[in-house]
Amino acid sequence: MSDTSPTPSPTPSAASSENPDFDAMTRDIADVPAVEVITTVAVHLMSAAAVNLGLAEEGEAHKDLDEARKLIQALAGLLDASATEVSSFHAAPLRDGLKSLQLAFREASVVPDEPGQGPGEKYTGPVFG
């Protein structure tokens, strides 16, 4: 005969001792300015693209140009779409980072894209080294 009684769930005190208090560690998303969300997402896209371009410490082990292309394209689209919403103070370094990634992609490619056809170039125009 099997026991079909429900397994007791952990008590609130047991659960809270195992998990940190995330409410205390985070702030309400409504309090985060849009420019901060946009720049944070852009920095994450840049970081991930750099890793996939092989620019991280263990570069070649993580190199994946197909993934890098997608991330650079998404970054360019985000920056293009948010250009009027983000001040030049925030946008200028993001655009510089995007151009650096586009150039690194062009250098890493065995068969470079035609000018204007590289990742994100439909938003930024052709990038030349």
Side-chain angles (χ1 to χ4, degrees):
M1 183 160 143
S2 72
D3 183 13
T4 59
S5 61
T7 306
S9 61
T11 62
S13 61
S16 63
S17 67
E18 294 173 11
N19 298 321
D21 183 5
F22 289 111
D23 290 336
M25 293 171 49
T26 59
R27 58 185 167 162
D28 189 0
I29 195 70
D31 295 335
V32 181
V35 69
E36 188 175 329
V37 173
I38 292 166
T39 56
T40 300
V41 170
V43 168
H44 284 292
L45 288 168
M46 276 190 217
S47 298
V51 168
N52 282 287
L53 285 170
L55 302 176
E57 245 179 69
E58 299 173 12
E60 292 300 315
H62 302 289
K63 193 171 185 177
D64 185 338
L65 294 183
D66 186 50
E67 289 295 302
R69 176 185 292 278
K70 293 171 188 171
L71 293 161
I72 294 168
Q73 182 74 17
L75 173 63
L78 173 65
L79 296 182
D80 184 60
S82 63
T84 59
E85 308 302 323
V86 179
S87 69
S88 61
F89 174 79
H90 291 96
L94 296 173
R95 283 192 303 268
D96 290 344
L98 170 60
K99 183 175 181 182
S100 295
L101 291 169
Q102 289 172 312
L103 289 170
F105 184 91
R106 188 167 291 284
E107 290 174 14
S109 298
V110 176
V111 180
D113 296 312
E114 292 294 320
Q117 300 302 309
E121 291 182 5
K122 77 178 190 179
Y123 299 109
T124 64
V127 174
F128 301 100

